[in-house]
Amino acid sequence: MLNSDIIKKMKTYAKDNNVPIMTDGGMHYLLRYIKQNKIKNILEVGTAIGYSAIMMCGVADDIKVTTIERDEKRYLEAIKNIKKTQLEDRIHLIYNDALNVKVEEKYDLIFIDAAKAQNRKFFERFERNLVPNGTIITDNMNFHGLVDKDVEDISSRNLRQLVKKIKEYRVFLENNREYETDFLDTGDGMAVSVKK
Ligand code: SAH
Ligand code: MG
């Protein structure tokens, strides 16, 4: 069992330092999916401070997570948290830009939760690491409700570009015949793509 005090502290740290960790709703769904589908080997793109990786390991003792983070401060914080929860043997943390990382293993689940404009690149880079019938889950598909807005109503240019990218990624998933994708409003919106 995970120490709830450590989890609480991670959440407080995330709030105080503007680290966008998963919402409780999204987390709840993800953990249930892992349990119901007996997922054992997970690749996560976007560790932040290790919160979601640690939570996923909490589902069962034989779950392993490989997770990638490019921000040094967050990576260092993740190392600390993984040590505190004694999950060093089960969480493999890679400090690099995911677009430079090559992994050889196969995973039952690939969880994409990094730079939202790069979702398609992450998807295409790592799908060869998915087991047959594996799942790719992408977080923040609604991006705080902005994706359902008319892009003209979004004042910042960067944000408009980002929302456009997320919409394009959605179309990419919808048109991808190799996967069956469900779009959920859970948490901040999640895409669940199951390989046919
Ligand atoms: N999954 C975490 C939250 C991740 S926040 C949780 O729920 O607990 C997204 C993280 O992705 C950020 O820390 C950011 O630094 C990282 N990131 C963004 N683009 C990346 C990339 N190309 N490679 C590696 N990490 C990336
Ligand atoms: Mg997220």
Side-chain angles (χ1 to χ4, degrees), residues 29-96:
Y29 173 85
L30 185 64
L31 299 185
R32 201 180 47 194
Y33 191 93
I34 290 169
K35 193 172 184 183
Q36 282 176 348
N37 294 283
K38 300 195 167 55
I39 283 168
K40 298 300 170 201
N41 209 8
I42 302 168
L43 175 67
E44 175 181 67
V45 186
T47 317
I49 59 169
Y51 170 71
S52 51
I54 289 168
M55 292 297 279
M56 291 192 283
C57 279
V59 173
D61 289 338
D62 54 355
I63 291 174
K64 287 208 159 109
V65 180
T66 295
T67 181
I68 310 169
E69 175 57 53
R70 69 176 175 190
D71 179 89
E72 188 183 19
K73 190 173 172 213
R74 290 179 181 175
Y75 161 77
L76 292 172
E77 194 62 29
I79 290 192
K80 273 197 239 163
N81 289 323
I82 292 163
K83 274 207 183 114
K84 273 192 215 161
T85 48
Q86 294 171 310
L87 288 169
E88 298 104 312
D89 297 341
R90 289 166 55 202
I91 300 179
H92 177 208
L93 181 50
I94 299 172
Y95 172 46
N96 203 342

Side-chain angles (χ1 to χ4, degrees), residues 10 19-23 27 44-53 67-71 74 94 96-99 111 113-116 118 122 139-140:
M10 288 179 76
V19 181
I21 62 168
M22 286 202 94
T23 62
M27 202 68 237
E44 175 181 67
V45 186
T47 317
I49 59 169
Y51 170 71
S52 51
T67 181
I68 310 169
E69 175 57 53
R70 69 176 175 190
D71 179 89
R74 290 179 181 175
I94 299 172
N96 203 342
D97 191 307
L99 295 175
F111 177 49
D113 190 18
K116 308 307 162 195
Q118 312 281 314
F122 298 135
D139 193 29
N140 306 99

